[in-house]
Amino acid sequence: MESKDANGNFLNDGDTVILIKDLKVKGTSITIKRGTSIKNISLTNNPGEIDCRFKKIKGLVLKTEFVKKT
């Protein structure tokens, strides 16, 4: 399965993506702001989700509809 970002570009392991919407992280009081760059993503078995790290949050899973590839 192939994962695509919000613009329809294919995503690969190790890519850098930028958020296109402010997102609240469940279980924390952190909000990740629009325009935040997230490096070194990992693809999951679900083509609509990617796994990544952000600051102190390990195992953060984002929906591909909220990111665009840089």
Side-chain angles (χ1 to χ4, degrees), residues 34-70:
R34 180 174 49 109
T36 301
S37 178
I38 297 179
K39 300 177 183 178
N40 202 16
I41 65 167
S42 299
L43 301 179
T44 63
N45 292 334
N46 184 345
E49 296 179 346
I50 55 172
D51 189 30
C52 56
R53 288 186 181 186
F54 179 72
K55 294 187 179 180
K56 297 178 182 177
I57 305 170
K58 294 181 182 178
L60 179 65
V61 178
L62 297 175
K63 292 192 177 228
T64 57
E65 62 194 61
F66 300 124
V67 299
K68 67 179 182 178
K69 187 175 179 177
T70 58

Side-chain angles (χ1 to χ4, degrees), residues 15-29:
D15 282 346
T16 300
V17 295
I18 295 177
L19 291 179
I20 60 172
K21 181 179 177 181
D22 290 352
L23 299 174
K24 292 189 107 184
V25 180
K26 286 186 179 180
T28 68
S29 61

